[in-house]
């Protein structure tokens, strides 16, 4: 694969991670500075992040802008309507989360009927939303909503670690768009490498286990930072609680890019040559 394509896809992957980490915080800070209650602002920022997840991954080259906009706007609208109608901030947050979950369910059903394939990442996000609905409904402390991404990370960590011994480790699915870059021959070689190479399987499983460990560490550190901070310092805590995620994910993806990706790419390249000469 040409280095320019690899560089472009890697840059898109980094941009995707940066958006996932920073977009909710930026939205929350803008809304809170406008005088919106912390719980409502946090709920809307979560809806925006959910919309981004519904749109897909930037590096896939198939980001679905319409679905992303609907995923952000519709739950935000239901949150604001609930507030206007006199609902509590927590009730409004739950209504927004349920609305987002329904959009994900509708998207999964639509994709299955159109034979587009069910996105495992979408199922993961849906599980995270379901967990957040159950958890947010138990407390009216804004810090509980601020720490909600930690529960997302815990769910994702469990899914990632559980997928390690299976035939489809989570990071194999997540890294496939970068590895194949839209080339059908390379896609076939990538998939075939799993069956043909024990080293390739080991790399995918180690990457997935590492990702699960990073998610688990990030969740624990976020919870500690949020609850060690003053209860009224929500804006400041929303920023400081992101620091472990940034450091951990940058270190993880740097290690993956420098150590795992070159080895996996060599295996896929070799398999591609074998398939082309067969």
């Amino acid at each position: 694969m040409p280095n320019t394509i690899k560089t472009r896809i890697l840059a898109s992957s980094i941009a995707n991670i940066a958006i996932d980490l920073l977009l909710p915080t930026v939205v929350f800070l803008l809304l809170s500075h406008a005088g919106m209650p912390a719980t409502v602002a946090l709920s809307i920022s979560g809806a925006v992040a959910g919309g981004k997840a519904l749109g897909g991954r930037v590096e896939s080259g198939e980001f679905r802008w319409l679905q992303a906009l609907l995923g952000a706007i519709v739950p935000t609208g239901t949150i604001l309507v609930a507030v206007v109608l006199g609902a509590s901030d927590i009730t409004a947050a739950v209504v927004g989360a349920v609305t987002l979950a329904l959009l994900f369910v509708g998207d999964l059903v639509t994709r299955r009927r159109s034979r587009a394939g069910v996105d495992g990442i979408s199922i993961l996000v849906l599980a995270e939303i379901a967990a957040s609905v159950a958890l947010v409904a138990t407390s009216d402390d804004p810090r509980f909503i601020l720490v909600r991404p930690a529960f997302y990370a815990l769910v994702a960590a469990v899914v990632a670690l559980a997928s390690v011994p299976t035939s489809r480790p989570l990071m194999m699915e997540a890294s496939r768009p970068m590895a194949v870059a839209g080339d059908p021959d390379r896609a076939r070689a990538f998939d075939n490498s799993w069956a043909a190479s024990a080293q390739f399987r080991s790399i995918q499983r180690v990457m997935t286990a590492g990702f699960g460990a990073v998610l688990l560490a990030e969740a624990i550190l976020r919870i500690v930072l949020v609850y060690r901070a003053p209860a009224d310092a929500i804006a400041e805590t929303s920023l400081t609680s992101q620091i472990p995620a940034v450091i951990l994910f940058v270190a993880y993806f740097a290690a993956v890019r420098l150590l795992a990706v070159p080895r996996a790419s060599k295996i896929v390249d070799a398999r591609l040559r074998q398939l082309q000469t067969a």
Side-chain angles (χ1 to χ4, degrees):
M1 189 190 309
N3 288 332
T4 54
I5 296 178
K6 288 184 178 180
T7 301
R8 175 177 58 80
I9 297 175
L10 178 61
S12 297
S13 299
I14 294 173
N16 186 77
I17 296 167
I19 292 170
D20 288 340
L21 291 175
L22 300 178
L23 181 60
T25 299
V26 171
V27 172
F28 166 70
L29 291 175
L30 290 174
L31 294 175
S32 60
H33 285 153
M36 186 170 288
T39 301
V40 177
L42 287 168
S43 300
I44 292 176
S45 68
V48 172
K52 157 63 179 60
L54 188 60
R57 299 182 63 83
V58 174
E59 73 271 20
S60 69
E62 300 176 352
F63 187 77
R64 302 179 302 161
W65 288 99
L66 178 59
Q67 286 85 346
L69 289 173
L70 288 174
I73 293 173
V74 175
T76 296
T78 60
I79 292 169
L80 295 176
V81 168
V83 171
V84 170
L85 293 177
S88 68
D89 294 348
I90 291 297
T91 299
V94 171
V95 168
V98 170
T99 303
L100 182 60
L102 291 175
L103 288 174
F104 267 92
V105 170
D107 184 64
L108 288 170
V109 171
T110 300
R111 295 177 72 175
R112 185 172 182 179
R113 287 178 176 174
S114 65
R115 300 182 184 276
V118 176
D119 183 2
I121 303 301
S122 293
I123 295 176
L124 173 59
V125 173
L126 185 58
E128 293 169 347
I129 294 171
S132 75
V133 171
L135 292 166
V136 171
T138 66
S139 174
D140 59 358
D141 185 349
R143 291 181 300 177
F144 199 81
I145 296 181
L146 187 60
V147 84
R148 184 171 59 182
F151 295 105
Y152 292 173
L154 286 173
V155 172
V158 170
V159 171
L161 294 174
S163 74
V164 171
T166 70
S167 62
R168 300 295 294 182
L170 183 65
M171 285 306 295
M172 182 175 175
E173 181 177 350
S175 64
R176 194 175 185 276
M178 179 189 295
V180 305
D183 183 345
D185 291 333
R186 191 170 182 83
R188 187 162 63 100
F190 181 89
D191 295 335
N192 195 264
S193 295
W194 175 265
S197 172
Q199 184 183 12
F200 185 82
R201 294 192 295 272
S202 177
I203 290 170
Q204 298 299 330
R205 285 174 170 150
V206 168
M207 286 197 301
T208 301
F211 187 61
V214 165
L215 288 167
L216 186 60
E218 191 275 328
I220 294 171
L221 290 172
R222 183 185 293 271
I223 292 172
V224 171
L225 286 174
V226 168
Y227 280 99
R228 289 189 63 182
D232 57 351
I234 297 297
E236 294 83 355
T237 308
S238 69
L239 291 174
T240 58
S241 63
Q242 300 287 346
I243 294 174
V246 172
I247 294 174
L248 288 169
F249 281 112
V250 167
Y252 170 78
F253 281 103
V256 166
R257 183 66 184 88
L258 293 174
L259 301 175
V261 170
R263 296 176 183 177
S265 294
K266 288 181 180 179
I267 295 171
V268 175
D269 290 340
R271 193 60 187 166
L272 177 61
R273 289 191 295 269
Q274 291 175 0
L275 293 174
Q276 288 175 337
T277 57

